[in-house]
Amino acid sequence: MSKKFYVTTSIAYVNARPHIGFAMELIQADVLARYHRMIGDDTFSLTGTDEHGMKLETAAKEQGLEPKQLVDMNAAYFKELKEVLNLSYDHFIRTTDDYHEKGAQKVWTLMNEQGDIYKDSYEGLYCIGCEAFVLEKDLVDGKCPNHNRVPEKLREENYFFKLSKYSDAIGKKIETGELKIFPESKKNEILYVIKDGLKDVSFSRPKKILKWGIDVPNDPDQVMYVWCDALSNYITGIGYGRDEEQFKRYWPADVHLIGKDILRFHSAIWIGMLMSAGIELPKAIYVHGFITSEGKKMSKSLNNVVDPNEYVDKYGADALRYFLLKEIPTVDDGDFSVERFKVVYGTELANNIGNLVSRVLAMTGKYFEGKVPEAVKSEDVLGPEVMKVWKEYQEAVNGFDLKKALEIVAAFASYANKFVDDTKPWVLAKENTQDLARVIYALLEMIRHLSLLLLPFLPATSAKISSYLGQATENLDFGKAILWGGLQFGQPVQKAEPLFARVEEPQK
Ligand SMILES: [Zn+2]
């Protein structure tokens, strides 16, 4: 029976170009979406951009632009990633989209009707870099440690959200696993925060300070602060307040995928907002780590910022996808190293996967005129072996261990390479045609399975292998496709172009 699957990424703040960490998040979400489409689930994948706030208002002013002009320009860099990284999301939401603004106002109104939004004045130290009030105790030499600037004293009237009212209820949902926070360490981290009780949060800003935001319903002097503006995208993006049928079809989200720095916003504030507005809660929040560059935090001053475009231009989107998915732990921090990237490209992609596919297809051309040979299918041994691979692979993807899933795929490719070395088709070609047919059939079947295993991870590579074998990659009957022996005798196959070509390094 087909199920539905709805996955979201966080929305990127458009004050800078996309970085490799966000690229990884997009790719991880893409794997989940492609996987669920492959197994036949009714899937929706959402990403987008967060486009309001003080930083953008200020940056636009500095550049002599209207805020909308600036965000239009910057959002384009994020939209480009769909092609660059070969993503398959269904919708790209911008928080400046009209339907989103209306949806966010609807959420606000519902929360207000519950008596959960109240006006209060607040005096505190405000860091313009953080776009937030900061606490005296967090300052270093009187300055915000993140921005190295002295915060200003500010008194303003704000609306507040009574998050404290939902503190216990949120804690219970997380503790019981009704709302799954993954990995476990992040679940414990947020439970620790909630244990002391969540505080009410500032939910709006006065217009005399911030204009670039969504209007608070029924108060011309206030705009929404980031929470209701940004977090509501997860429901407005699938039709909340505009296409109720689609909203009901996909909500609640199966997975909100986020970085570890925004855990608290998602597992506390967003959950409280939904409780207040009487909207069902998401099922799970998956939290990935950060990427360092050559062992150091990426920064402009160290000149070690990894630009995803550079690697895609040179090695292709699949090579970058493979590296980020297999070399970086799925829910932990990892390192991006140029040397390691080259090694992985050469050994794991070009040799282990690329050569295997070329060899098998070349032998089919040479020994069987490019057609799948008629043979005994060796189901007894290889059938169960492949089923075991699929079982472990599916467990890894369902447990959000994408690194492990790719390790299983790489091990399967190694197994097939060893099968070539052990059976020596070039020797059989001189001695035993029946055995040769059996071996080549088995190898072709193995690369057919390899193409399916790769489909969510390396979609372009998977599509190439499938097309060489004359196999479809869309609208699969998944249950049937993963059985051993799917290739029909006599099916013509093509010779492969190198899947991962040698990359010439410029002479220094
Ligand atoms: Zn700051």
Side-chain angles (χ1 to χ4, degrees), residues 127 129-130 134 144 146-147:
C127 172
C130 295
V134 290
C144 163
N146 295 326
H147 297 94

Side-chain angles (χ1 to χ4, degrees), residues 108-248:
W108 179 290
T109 303
L110 288 172
M111 294 172 70
N112 191 38
E113 282 167 8
Q114 292 303 310
D116 289 340
I117 292 178
Y118 62 94
K119 209 170 194 178
D120 203 352
S121 68
Y122 184 87
E123 188 177 55
L125 297 167
Y126 186 85
C127 172
I128 193 161
C130 295
E131 276 191 52
F133 285 97
V134 290
L135 296 174
E136 190 94 51
K137 71 172 171 71
D138 295 329
L139 303 180
V140 176
D141 298 329
K143 290 176 182 170
C144 163
N146 295 326
H147 297 94
N148 198 31
R149 65 200 296 168
V150 180
E152 46 197 303
K153 228 188 200 138
L154 211 64
R155 181 185 181 81
E156 62 177 50
E157 286 236 293
N158 284 348
Y159 285 103
F160 282 77
F161 165 42
K162 267 188 208 167
L163 181 60
S164 57
K165 176 174 157 187
Y166 296 96
S167 199
D168 289 346
I170 296 168
K172 212 160 274 167
K173 292 279 181 194
I174 294 173
E175 216 165 327
T176 58
E178 233 179 297
L179 167 62
K180 180 180 173 184
I181 310 283
F182 184 79
E184 190 78 8
S185 58
K186 297 296 169 211
K187 173 182 175 176
N188 294 335
E189 189 180 313
I190 192 66
L191 284 174
Y192 188 78
V193 172
I194 295 173
K195 190 169 59 87
D196 293 334
L198 294 165
K199 307 238 177 326
D200 293 352
V201 288
S202 170
F203 224 50
S204 73
R205 305 293 316 273
K207 264 196 191 156
K208 61 179 195 293
I209 293 169
L210 173 69
K211 281 180 196 66
W212 185 235
I214 300 175
D215 287 344
V216 167
N218 302 317
D219 189 336
D221 297 328
Q222 296 267 329
V223 296
M224 290 180 192
Y225 186 50
V226 60
W227 314 123
C228 193
D229 179 332
L231 293 166
S232 301
N233 93 86
Y234 299 129
I235 54 177
T236 62
I238 48 166
Y240 179 77
R242 136 184 82 98
D243 181 347
E244 286 304 313
E245 201 179 311
Q246 182 172 278
F247 176 63
K248 282 203 186 98

Side-chain angles (χ1 to χ4, degrees), residues 90-109:
D90 298 283
H91 185 60
F92 188 99
I93 186 168
R94 300 179 58 187
T95 55
T96 51
D97 288 339
D98 185 53
Y99 67 85
H100 169 74
E101 301 196 351
K102 290 200 176 85
Q105 286 171 330
K106 186 176 168 185
V107 174
W108 179 290
T109 303

